[in-house]
Coordinates of all heavy atoms in Angstrom, one line a residue:
M1 N -18.8 -34.9 -0.3 CA -17.5 -34.4 0.1 C -16.9 -35.5 1.0 O -17.5 -35.9 2.0 CB -17.6 -33.1 0.8 CG -16.4 -32.5 1.3 SD -15.3 -31.8 0.1 CE -16.4 -30.6 -0.7
D2 N -15.7 -36.0 0.6 CA -15.1 -37.0 1.5 C -13.6 -36.7 1.6 O -13.0 -35.9 0.9 CB -15.4 -38.4 1.0 CG -14.8 -38.7 -0.4 OD1 -14.0 -37.9 -0.9 OD2 -15.1 -39.7 -1.0
L3 N -13.0 -37.4 2.6 CA -11.5 -37.2 2.8 C -10.7 -37.6 1.6 O -9.7 -36.9 1.3 CB -11.1 -38.1 4.0 CG -11.6 -37.6 5.4 CD1 -11.2 -38.6 6.4 CD2 -11.0 -36.2 5.7
Q4 N -11.1 -38.6 0.9 CA -10.3 -39.1 -0.2 C -10.1 -38.1 -1.3 O -9.1 -38.0 -2.0 CB -10.9 -40.4 -0.8 CG -10.7 -41.6 0.1 CD -9.2 -41.8 0.6 OE1 -8.3 -41.8 -0.3 NE2 -9.0 -41.9 1.8
T5 N -11.1 -37.2 -1.5 CA -11.0 -36.2 -2.6 C -9.9 -35.2 -2.2 O -9.0 -35.0 -3.1 CB -12.3 -35.4 -2.6 OG1 -13.4 -36.3 -2.9 CG2 -12.3 -34.3 -3.7
G6 N -9.8 -34.8 -1.0 CA -8.7 -33.9 -0.6 C -7.4 -34.6 -0.6 O -6.4 -34.0 -1.0
V7 N -7.3 -35.9 -0.2 CA -6.1 -36.6 -0.2 C -5.6 -36.8 -1.7 O -4.4 -36.6 -1.9 CB -6.3 -38.0 0.4 CG1 -5.1 -38.9 0.2 CG2 -6.5 -37.9 1.9
R8 N -6.5 -37.1 -2.6 CA -6.0 -37.3 -4.0 C -5.4 -36.0 -4.6 O -4.4 -36.0 -5.2 CB -7.2 -37.8 -4.9 CG -7.5 -39.2 -4.8 CD -8.4 -39.7 -5.9 NE -9.7 -39.0 -5.8 CZ -10.8 -39.3 -5.1 NH1 -10.7 -40.3 -4.2 NH2 -11.9 -38.6 -5.1
I9 N -6.1 -34.9 -4.4 CA -5.6 -33.6 -5.0 C -4.3 -33.2 -4.2 O -3.3 -32.7 -4.9 CB -6.6 -32.5 -5.0 CG1 -6.2 -31.3 -5.9 CG2 -7.0 -32.0 -3.6 CD1 -6.1 -31.6 -7.3
Y10 N -4.2 -33.4 -2.9 CA -3.0 -33.1 -2.2 C -1.8 -34.0 -2.7 O -0.7 -33.5 -3.0 CB -3.1 -33.3 -0.7 CG -1.8 -33.4 0.0 CD1 -1.0 -32.3 0.1 CD2 -1.3 -34.6 0.5 CE1 0.3 -32.4 0.7 CE2 -0.1 -34.7 1.1 CZ 0.7 -33.6 1.2 OH 2.0 -33.7 1.8
Q11 N -2.0 -35.3 -2.9 CA -1.0 -36.2 -3.4 C -0.5 -35.8 -4.8 O 0.6 -35.8 -5.1 CB -1.4 -37.6 -3.3 CG -1.5 -38.1 -1.9 CD -2.1 -39.5 -1.8 OE1 -2.8 -40.0 -2.7 NE2 -1.8 -40.2 -0.7
F12 N -1.5 -35.4 -5.6 CA -1.2 -34.9 -6.9 C -0.3 -33.7 -6.9 O 0.8 -33.6 -7.5 CB -2.4 -34.6 -7.7 CG -2.2 -34.0 -9.1 CD1 -1.8 -34.9 -10.1 CD2 -2.3 -32.7 -9.3 CE1 -1.5 -34.3 -11.4 CE2 -2.0 -32.1 -10.6 CZ -1.6 -33.0 -11.6
V13 N -0.7 -32.7 -6.1 CA 0.1 -31.4 -6.0 C 1.5 -31.8 -5.4 O 2.5 -31.3 -5.9 CB -0.6 -30.4 -5.1 CG1 0.3 -29.3 -4.7 CG2 -1.8 -29.9 -5.8
R14 N 1.6 -32.6 -4.4 CA 2.8 -33.0 -3.8 C 3.8 -33.6 -4.8 O 4.9 -33.3 -4.9 CB 2.6 -34.0 -2.6 CG 3.9 -34.4 -1.9 CD 3.7 -35.7 -1.2 NE 3.3 -36.8 -2.1 CZ 2.6 -37.8 -1.8 NH1 2.2 -38.0 -0.5 NH2 2.3 -38.7 -2.7
D15 N 3.2 -34.5 -5.6 CA 4.1 -35.2 -6.6 C 4.6 -34.2 -7.7 O 5.7 -34.3 -8.1 CB 3.3 -36.3 -7.3 CG 3.0 -37.5 -6.3 OD1 3.6 -37.5 -5.2 OD2 2.2 -38.4 -6.7
R16 N 3.7 -33.3 -8.1 CA 4.1 -32.3 -9.1 C 5.2 -31.4 -8.5 O 6.1 -31.0 -9.2 CB 2.9 -31.5 -9.6 CG 1.8 -32.3 -10.3 CD 2.2 -33.1 -11.6 NE 3.0 -34.3 -11.4 CZ 2.7 -35.5 -10.9 NH1 1.4 -35.7 -10.5 NH2 3.5 -36.5 -10.8
L17 N 5.0 -31.0 -7.3 CA 6.0 -30.1 -6.6 C 7.3 -30.9 -6.5 O 8.4 -30.3 -6.7 CB 5.5 -29.7 -5.2 CG 4.4 -28.7 -5.2 CD1 3.8 -28.6 -3.8 CD2 4.8 -27.4 -5.8
E18 N 7.3 -32.2 -6.3 CA 8.6 -32.9 -6.2 C 9.2 -33.0 -7.6 O 10.4 -32.9 -7.7 CB 8.3 -34.3 -5.7 CG 8.1 -34.3 -4.2 CD 7.7 -35.6 -3.6 OE1 7.7 -36.6 -4.3 OE2 7.5 -35.7 -2.3
D19 N 8.4 -33.1 -8.7 CA 8.9 -33.0 -10.0 C 9.6 -31.7 -10.3 O 10.7 -31.7 -10.8 CB 7.8 -33.2 -11.1 CG 7.2 -34.6 -11.1 OD1 7.8 -35.5 -10.5 OD2 6.1 -34.8 -11.7
Q20 N 9.0 -30.6 -9.9 CA 9.6 -29.3 -10.0 C 10.8 -29.2 -9.2 O 11.8 -28.6 -9.7 CB 8.6 -28.2 -9.6 CG 7.6 -27.8 -10.6 CD 6.8 -26.6 -10.2 OE1 6.6 -26.4 -9.0 NE2 6.2 -25.9 -11.1
R21 N 10.8 -29.7 -8.0 CA 12.0 -29.6 -7.2 C 13.2 -30.3 -7.9 O 14.3 -29.7 -7.9 CB 11.7 -30.2 -5.8 CG 13.0 -30.2 -4.9 CD 12.9 -31.2 -3.8 NE 12.8 -32.5 -4.4 CZ 12.4 -33.6 -3.8 NH1 12.0 -33.5 -2.5 NH2 12.3 -34.8 -4.4
D22 N 12.9 -31.4 -8.4 CA 14.0 -32.2 -9.1 C 14.5 -31.4 -10.3 O 15.7 -31.5 -10.6 CB 13.5 -33.6 -9.5 CG 13.1 -34.4 -8.3 OD1 13.6 -34.1 -7.2 OD2 12.4 -35.4 -8.5
E23 N 13.6 -30.7 -11.0 CA 14.0 -30.0 -12.2 C 14.8 -28.7 -11.8 O 15.6 -28.3 -12.6 CB 12.8 -29.6 -13.0 CG 12.1 -30.8 -13.7 CD 10.7 -30.4 -14.2 OE1 10.3 -29.2 -14.2 OE2 10.0 -31.4 -14.6
Q24 N 14.4 -28.1 -10.7 CA 14.9 -26.7 -10.4 C 16.0 -26.7 -9.3 O 16.6 -25.7 -9.1 CB 13.8 -25.8 -10.0 CG 12.7 -25.6 -11.0 CD 11.5 -24.9 -10.5 OE1 11.4 -24.6 -9.3 NE2 10.6 -24.6 -11.4
H25 N 16.2 -27.8 -8.7 CA 17.2 -27.9 -7.6 C 18.6 -27.4 -8.0 O 19.0 -27.8 -9.1 CB 17.3 -29.3 -7.0 CG 18.1 -29.4 -5.8 ND1 17.6 -28.9 -4.6 CD2 19.3 -29.9 -5.6 CE1 18.6 -29.1 -3.7 NE2 19.6 -29.7 -4.2
P26 N 19.3 -26.6 -7.3 CA 19.0 -26.2 -5.9 C 18.2 -24.9 -5.9 O 17.8 -24.5 -4.8 CB 20.4 -26.0 -5.3 CG 21.2 -25.6 -6.5 CD 20.7 -26.3 -7.7
H27 N 18.0 -24.2 -7.0 CA 17.4 -22.9 -7.0 C 15.9 -22.9 -6.6 O 15.4 -22.0 -6.0 CB 17.6 -22.2 -8.3 CG 19.0 -22.1 -8.7 ND1 19.9 -21.3 -8.1 CD2 19.7 -22.7 -9.7 CE1 21.1 -21.4 -8.6 NE2 21.0 -22.2 -9.6
G28 N 15.3 -24.0 -6.8 CA 13.8 -24.1 -6.5 C 13.5 -24.7 -5.2 O 12.4 -24.9 -4.8
H29 N 14.5 -25.0 -4.4 CA 14.3 -25.8 -3.1 C 13.4 -25.0 -2.1 O 12.5 -25.5 -1.6 CB 15.6 -26.2 -2.5 CG 15.4 -27.1 -1.3 ND1 15.0 -28.4 -1.5 CD2 15.5 -26.8 0.0 CE1 14.9 -28.9 -0.3 NE2 15.2 -28.0 0.6
E30 N 13.7 -23.7 -1.9 CA 12.9 -23.0 -0.9 C 11.5 -22.8 -1.4 O 10.6 -23.0 -0.6 CB 13.6 -21.6 -0.7 CG 12.9 -20.8 0.4 CD 13.6 -19.6 0.8 OE1 14.9 -19.5 0.7 OE2 12.9 -18.6 1.2
A31 N 11.3 -22.5 -2.7 CA 9.9 -22.4 -3.2 C 9.2 -23.7 -3.1 O 8.0 -23.8 -2.7 CB 10.0 -21.9 -4.6
Y32 N 9.9 -24.8 -3.3 CA 9.3 -26.1 -3.2 C 8.9 -26.4 -1.7 O 7.8 -26.8 -1.5 CB 10.3 -27.2 -3.6 CG 10.0 -28.6 -3.0 CD1 9.0 -29.4 -3.6 CD2 10.6 -29.1 -1.9 CE1 8.7 -30.6 -3.1 CE2 10.3 -30.3 -1.4 CZ 9.3 -31.1 -2.0 OH 9.0 -32.3 -1.5
V33 N 9.7 -26.1 -0.8 CA 9.4 -26.3 0.6 C 8.2 -25.5 1.0 O 7.3 -26.0 1.7 CB 10.6 -26.0 1.5 CG1 10.2 -26.0 3.0 CG2 11.7 -27.0 1.3
D34 N 8.2 -24.2 0.6 CA 7.0 -23.4 1.0 C 5.7 -23.9 0.4 O 4.7 -24.0 1.0 CB 7.3 -21.9 0.5 CG 8.4 -21.2 1.2 OD1 8.8 -21.7 2.3 OD2 8.8 -20.2 0.7
A35 N 5.8 -24.3 -0.9 CA 4.6 -24.8 -1.6 C 4.1 -26.1 -1.0 O 2.9 -26.4 -0.8 CB 4.8 -24.9 -3.1
R36 N 5.1 -27.0 -0.7 CA 4.8 -28.3 -0.1 C 4.1 -28.1 1.3 O 3.1 -28.8 1.6 CB 6.1 -29.1 0.0 CG 5.9 -30.5 0.7 CD 5.4 -31.5 -0.2 NE 5.2 -32.7 0.5 CZ 5.9 -33.8 0.5 NH1 7.0 -33.8 -0.2 NH2 5.6 -34.9 1.2
L37 N 4.6 -27.2 2.1 CA 4.0 -26.9 3.4 C 2.6 -26.4 3.3 O 1.7 -26.7 4.0 CB 4.9 -26.0 4.2 CG 6.2 -26.6 4.7 CD1 7.1 -25.5 5.4 CD2 6.0 -27.8 5.7
K38 N 2.4 -25.5 2.3 CA 1.1 -24.9 2.1 C 0.1 -26.0 1.7 O -1.0 -26.1 2.2 CB 1.2 -23.9 1.0 CG -0.2 -23.3 0.7 CD -0.1 -22.2 -0.4 CE -1.6 -21.7 -0.7 NZ -1.6 -20.7 -1.8
A39 N 0.5 -26.9 0.7 CA -0.3 -28.0 0.3 C -0.6 -29.0 1.4 O -1.8 -29.4 1.6 CB 0.3 -28.8 -0.9
A40 N 0.3 -29.3 2.2 CA 0.1 -30.2 3.4 C -0.8 -29.5 4.4 O -1.7 -30.2 4.9 CB 1.4 -30.5 4.1
G41 N -0.7 -28.2 4.6 CA -1.6 -27.5 5.5 C -3.0 -27.5 5.0 O -4.0 -27.7 5.8
L42 N -3.2 -27.3 3.7 CA -4.5 -27.3 3.1 C -5.1 -28.7 3.2 O -6.3 -28.8 3.5 CB -4.4 -26.8 1.7 CG -4.1 -25.3 1.5 CD1 -3.9 -25.0 0.0 CD2 -5.3 -24.5 2.0
S43 N -4.3 -29.7 3.0 CA -4.8 -31.1 3.1 C -5.3 -31.3 4.5 O -6.4 -31.9 4.7 CB -3.7 -32.1 2.7 OG -4.2 -33.4 2.9
H44 N -4.5 -30.9 5.5 CA -4.9 -31.1 6.9 C -6.2 -30.3 7.2 O -7.1 -30.8 7.8 CB -3.8 -30.6 7.8 CG -4.1 -30.7 9.2 ND1 -4.7 -29.6 9.9 CD2 -4.0 -31.7 10.1 CE1 -4.9 -29.9 11.2 NE2 -4.5 -31.2 11.3
D45 N -6.3 -29.1 6.7 CA -7.5 -28.2 6.9 C -8.7 -28.9 6.3 O -9.8 -28.8 6.9 CB -7.3 -26.8 6.4 CG -6.2 -26.0 7.1 OD1 -5.8 -26.5 8.2 OD2 -5.8 -25.0 6.6
H46 N -8.5 -29.5 5.1 CA -9.6 -30.1 4.4 C -10.1 -31.3 5.2 O -11.3 -31.5 5.5 CB -9.2 -30.6 3.0 CG -10.3 -31.3 2.3 ND1 -10.4 -32.6 2.2 CD2 -11.4 -30.8 1.6 CE1 -11.5 -33.0 1.5 NE2 -12.1 -31.8 1.1
A47 N -9.2 -32.1 5.7 CA -9.6 -33.3 6.5 C -10.3 -32.9 7.8 O -11.3 -33.5 8.1 CB -8.3 -34.1 6.8
H48 N -9.8 -31.8 8.4 CA -10.5 -31.4 9.6 C -11.9 -30.8 9.3 O -12.8 -31.1 10.1 CB -9.6 -30.2 10.3 CG -10.2 -29.7 11.5 ND1 -10.2 -30.4 12.7 CD2 -10.8 -28.5 11.7 CE1 -10.9 -29.7 13.6 NE2 -11.2 -28.5 13.1
A49 N -12.0 -30.1 8.2 CA -13.4 -29.6 7.9 C -14.3 -30.7 7.5 O -15.5 -30.7 7.9 CB -13.2 -28.6 6.7
V50 N -13.9 -31.7 6.8 CA -14.7 -32.9 6.5 C -15.1 -33.6 7.8 O -16.3 -33.9 8.0 CB -14.0 -33.8 5.5 CG1 -14.8 -35.1 5.3 CG2 -13.9 -33.1 4.1
A51 N -14.1 -33.8 8.6 CA -14.4 -34.6 9.9 C -15.4 -33.8 10.8 O -16.2 -34.4 11.5 CB -13.1 -34.8 10.6
S52 N -15.4 -32.5 10.7 CA -16.3 -31.7 11.6 C -17.5 -31.3 10.8 O -18.3 -30.4 11.3 CB -15.5 -30.5 12.2 OG -15.1 -29.6 11.1
E53 N -17.7 -31.8 9.6 CA -18.9 -31.6 8.8 C -19.0 -30.1 8.4 O -20.1 -29.6 8.2 CB -20.2 -32.1 9.5 CG -20.1 -33.6 9.7 CD -21.4 -34.1 10.3 OE1 -22.4 -33.4 10.4 OE2 -21.4 -35.3 10.7
G54 N -17.8 -29.5 8.3 CA -17.8 -28.1 7.8 C -17.8 -28.0 6.3 O -16.7 -27.8 5.7
T55 N -18.9 -28.3 5.6 CA -18.9 -28.5 4.2 C -18.4 -27.3 3.4 O -17.7 -27.4 2.5 CB -20.4 -28.8 3.8 OG1 -20.8 -29.9 4.5 CG2 -20.4 -29.1 2.3
D56 N -18.8 -26.1 3.9 CA -18.4 -24.8 3.2 C -16.9 -24.7 3.3 O -16.2 -24.3 2.3 CB -19.1 -23.6 3.7 CG -20.6 -23.6 3.4 OD1 -21.0 -24.3 2.4 OD2 -21.3 -22.8 4.0
E57 N -16.3 -24.9 4.5 CA -14.9 -24.8 4.7 C -14.1 -25.9 3.9 O -13.1 -25.6 3.3 CB -14.6 -24.8 6.2 CG -13.1 -24.8 6.5 CD -12.4 -23.4 6.1 OE1 -13.1 -22.5 5.7 OE2 -11.2 -23.3 6.2
A58 N -14.7 -27.1 3.9 CA -14.0 -28.2 3.1 C -14.0 -27.8 1.7 O -13.0 -28.0 1.0 CB -14.8 -29.5 3.4
E59 N -15.1 -27.3 1.1 CA -15.1 -26.9 -0.3 C -14.1 -25.8 -0.6 O -13.4 -25.8 -1.6 CB -16.5 -26.5 -0.7 CG -16.7 -26.1 -2.1 CD -16.4 -27.2 -3.1 OE1 -16.6 -28.4 -2.8 OE2 -15.9 -26.9 -4.2
R60 N -14.1 -24.8 0.3 CA -13.1 -23.6 0.1 C -11.7 -24.1 0.1 O -10.9 -23.7 -0.8 CB -13.3 -22.6 1.2 CG -12.5 -21.3 1.1 CD -12.4 -20.5 2.3 NE -11.7 -21.1 3.4 CZ -10.3 -21.3 3.5 NH1 -9.6 -20.9 2.5 NH2 -9.8 -21.9 4.5
V61 N -11.3 -25.0 1.0 CA -10.0 -25.5 1.1 C -9.7 -26.4 -0.1 O -8.6 -26.3 -0.7 CB -9.7 -26.2 2.4 CG1 -8.4 -26.9 2.4 CG2 -9.9 -25.3 3.6
L62 N -10.6 -27.2 -0.5 CA -10.4 -28.0 -1.7 C -10.2 -27.2 -2.9 O -9.3 -27.5 -3.8 CB -11.7 -28.9 -1.9 CG -11.6 -30.0 -2.9 CD1 -10.4 -31.0 -2.6 CD2 -12.9 -30.7 -3.1
Q63 N -10.9 -26.1 -3.1 CA -10.7 -25.2 -4.2 C -9.3 -24.6 -4.2 O -8.7 -24.4 -5.2 CB -11.8 -24.1 -4.2 CG -13.2 -24.6 -4.6 CD -13.2 -25.4 -5.9 OE1 -12.6 -25.0 -6.9 NE2 -13.8 -26.6 -5.8
E64 N -8.8 -24.3 -3.0 CA -7.4 -23.8 -2.9 C -6.4 -24.9 -3.4 O -5.4 -24.5 -4.1 CB -7.1 -23.4 -1.5 CG -7.6 -22.0 -1.1 CD -7.0 -21.6 0.2 OE1 -5.8 -21.4 0.3 OE2 -7.8 -21.4 1.2
L65 N -6.7 -26.1 -3.0 CA -5.8 -27.2 -3.5 C -5.9 -27.3 -5.0 O -4.8 -27.5 -5.7 CB -6.1 -28.5 -2.8 CG -5.6 -28.7 -1.4 CD1 -6.3 -29.9 -0.7 CD2 -4.1 -29.0 -1.5
Y66 N -7.1 -27.3 -5.5 CA -7.2 -27.3 -7.0 C -6.6 -26.1 -7.7 O -6.0 -26.3 -8.8 CB -8.7 -27.4 -7.4 CG -9.2 -28.9 -7.5 CD1 -9.9 -29.4 -6.5 CD2 -8.9 -29.7 -8.6 CE1 -10.3 -30.8 -6.5 CE2 -9.3 -31.0 -8.7 CZ -10.0 -31.5 -7.6 OH -10.4 -32.8 -7.7
A67 N -6.6 -25.0 -7.0 CA -5.9 -23.8 -7.6 C -4.4 -24.1 -7.7 O -3.7 -23.7 -8.6 CB -6.2 -22.6 -6.8
M68 N -3.9 -24.7 -6.6 CA -2.4 -25.0 -6.6 C -2.1 -26.0 -7.8 O -1.1 -26.0 -8.4 CB -2.0 -25.6 -5.3 CG -1.9 -24.7 -4.2 SD -1.2 -25.4 -2.7 CE 0.6 -25.5 -3.1
A69 N -3.1 -26.9 -8.0 CA -2.9 -28.0 -9.0 C -3.1 -27.5 -10.4 O -2.7 -28.2 -11.4 CB -3.8 -29.2 -8.7
D70 N -3.7 -26.4 -10.6 CA -4.1 -25.9 -11.9 C -3.0 -25.8 -12.9 O -3.3 -26.1 -14.1 CB -4.8 -24.5 -11.7 CG -5.6 -24.1 -13.0 OD1 -6.4 -24.9 -13.4 OD2 -5.3 -23.0 -13.5
E71 N -1.8 -25.5 -12.6 CA -0.8 -25.5 -13.6 C -0.5 -26.8 -14.2 O 0.2 -26.9 -15.2 CB 0.5 -24.8 -13.0 CG 1.2 -25.7 -12.0 CD 2.5 -25.0 -11.4 OE1 3.5 -24.9 -12.2 OE2 2.4 -24.5 -10.3
W72 N -0.9 -27.9 -13.6 CA -0.7 -29.2 -14.1 C -2.0 -29.9 -14.6 O -2.1 -31.1 -14.7 CB -0.1 -30.1 -13.0 CG 1.2 -29.6 -12.5 CD1 2.4 -29.5 -13.2 CD2 1.4 -29.1 -11.2 NE1 3.3 -28.9 -12.3 CE2 2.8 -28.7 -11.1 CE3 0.6 -28.9 -10.1 CZ2 3.3 -28.1 -10.0 CZ3 1.2 -28.4 -8.9 CH2 2.5 -28.0 -8.9
K73 N -3.0 -29.1 -14.9 CA -4.4 -29.6 -15.2 C -4.4 -30.5 -16.5 O -5.3 -31.3 -16.6 CB -5.4 -28.5 -15.4 CG -5.2 -27.6 -16.5 CD -6.2 -26.5 -16.4 CE -5.8 -25.4 -17.4 NZ -6.6 -24.2 -17.2
H74 N -3.3 -30.5 -17.3 CA -3.3 -31.3 -18.4 C -2.4 -32.6 -18.2 O -2.2 -33.4 -19.1 CB -2.7 -30.6 -19.6 CG -3.6 -29.4 -20.0 ND1 -4.9 -29.6 -20.5 CD2 -3.5 -28.1 -19.9 CE1 -5.5 -28.4 -20.7 NE2 -4.6 -27.5 -20.3
H75 N -1.9 -32.7 -17.0 CA -1.1 -33.9 -16.6 C -2.0 -35.1 -16.6 O -3.2 -35.0 -16.1 CB -0.5 -33.7 -15.2 CG 0.5 -34.7 -14.9 ND1 0.2 -35.9 -14.4 CD2 1.9 -34.6 -14.9 CE1 1.3 -36.6 -14.1 NE2 2.3 -35.8 -14.4
P76 N -1.6 -36.3 -17.0 CA -2.4 -37.5 -17.1 C -2.9 -37.9 -15.7 O -3.9 -38.6 -15.6 CB -1.6 -38.5 -17.8 CG -0.2 -38.0 -17.7 CD -0.2 -36.5 -17.6
D77 N -2.2 -37.6 -14.6 CA -2.6 -38.0 -13.3 C -3.5 -37.0 -12.6 O -3.8 -37.2 -11.4 CB -1.4 -38.3 -12.4 CG -0.6 -39.5 -13.0 OD1 -1.2 -40.4 -13.6 OD2 0.6 -39.5 -12.7
Y78 N -3.9 -35.9 -13.2 CA -4.6 -34.9 -12.6 C -6.0 -35.5 -12.1 O -6.7 -36.0 -12.8 CB -4.9 -33.7 -13.6 CG -5.6 -32.5 -13.0 CD1 -4.8 -31.5 -12.4 CD2 -7.0 -32.4 -13.1 CE1 -5.4 -30.4 -11.8 CE2 -7.6 -31.2 -12.5 CZ -6.8 -30.3 -11.9 OH -7.4 -29.1 -11.4
P79 N -6.3 -35.3 -10.8 CA -7.5 -35.9 -10.2 C -8.7 -35.1 -10.7 O -8.7 -33.9 -10.8 CB -7.3 -35.7 -8.7 CG -5.9 -35.3 -8.5 CD -5.4 -34.7 -9.8
A80 N -9.7 -35.9 -11.0 CA -11.0 -35.3 -11.5 C -11.6 -34.6 -10.3 O -11.6 -35.1 -9.2 CB -11.9 -36.4 -12.0
A81 N -12.3 -33.5 -10.6 CA -13.0 -32.8 -9.5 C -14.2 -33.6 -9.1 O -14.8 -34.3 -10.0 CB -13.5 -31.4 -10.0
P82 N -14.6 -33.6 -7.9 CA -15.8 -34.4 -7.4 C -17.0 -33.8 -8.1 O -17.1 -32.6 -8.3 CB -15.8 -34.2 -5.9 CG -15.0 -32.9 -5.7 CD -14.0 -32.8 -6.8
A83 N -18.0 -34.7 -8.3 CA -19.3 -34.3 -8.8 C -20.0 -33.4 -7.7 O -20.0 -33.8 -6.6 CB -20.1 -35.5 -9.2
V84 N -20.6 -32.3 -8.2 CA -21.3 -31.5 -7.2 C -22.8 -31.8 -7.4 O -23.3 -31.7 -8.5 CB -21.0 -30.0 -7.5 CG1 -21.9 -29.1 -6.6 CG2 -19.6 -29.7 -7.4
P85 N -23.4 -32.2 -6.3 CA -24.9 -32.5 -6.5 C -25.7 -31.3 -6.9 O -25.3 -30.2 -6.5 CB -25.3 -33.0 -5.1 CG -24.2 -32.6 -4.2 CD -23.0 -32.3 -5.0
P86 N -26.7 -31.4 -7.6 CA -27.5 -30.3 -8.0 C -28.2 -29.6 -6.8 O -28.5 -30.3 -5.9 CB -28.5 -30.9 -9.0 CG -28.5 -32.3 -8.8 CD -27.2 -32.7 -8.2
A87 N -28.4 -28.3 -6.9 CA -29.1 -27.6 -5.8 C -30.5 -28.1 -5.8 O -31.1 -28.3 -6.8 CB -29.0 -26.1 -6.0
A88 N -31.0 -28.2 -4.6 CA -32.4 -28.6 -4.4 C -33.4 -27.5 -4.7 O -33.2 -26.4 -4.6 CB -32.6 -29.2 -3.0

């Protein structure tokens, strides 16, 4: 688990939200702002959890970011999920 994983998925979600904002403006602006703030907050929470070695929390937050990104999973820039080491 590293910071870059969270950053990549956050940047992907942010970019897709900006695409949607551009397509839906002005009607989609409030929804865009709410989703963008949520994604930014999750990215911050992920970075904090990684920095404090909160692996379970980092994974939970990362899964929330991937859930936000799920609607664009077929997009060519969709970030690959990190490899999960096998259980010992």
Side-chain angles (χ1 to χ4, degrees):
M1 179 74 55
D2 64 11
L3 289 173
Q4 290 306 312
T5 302
V7 169
R8 279 192 303 275
I9 192 69
Y10 163 69
Q11 289 174 336
F12 175 79
V13 168
R14 180 200 61 206
D15 293 346
R16 300 299 70 77
L17 290 170
E18 287 177 359
D19 291 346
Q20 277 186 336
R21 179 202 59 201
D22 294 343
E23 292 168 5
Q24 299 173 357
H25 188 72
H27 303 294
H29 187 73
E30 187 173 326
Y32 160 79
V33 170
D34 292 345
R36 174 82 186 257
L37 290 173
K38 179 180 178 182
L42 289 170
S43 178
H44 178 269
D45 293 348
H46 179 263
H48 180 72
V50 170
S52 64
E53 298 182 11
T55 306
D56 291 341
E57 179 65 6
E59 182 63 29
R60 184 193 67 74
V61 174
L62 189 62
Q63 291 307 313
E64 282 191 61
L65 279 166
Y66 271 100
M68 287 186 77
D70 194 53
E71 70 180 285
W72 303 291
K73 65 184 169 193
H74 299 295
H75 190 282
D77 295 331
Y78 187 84
V84 177

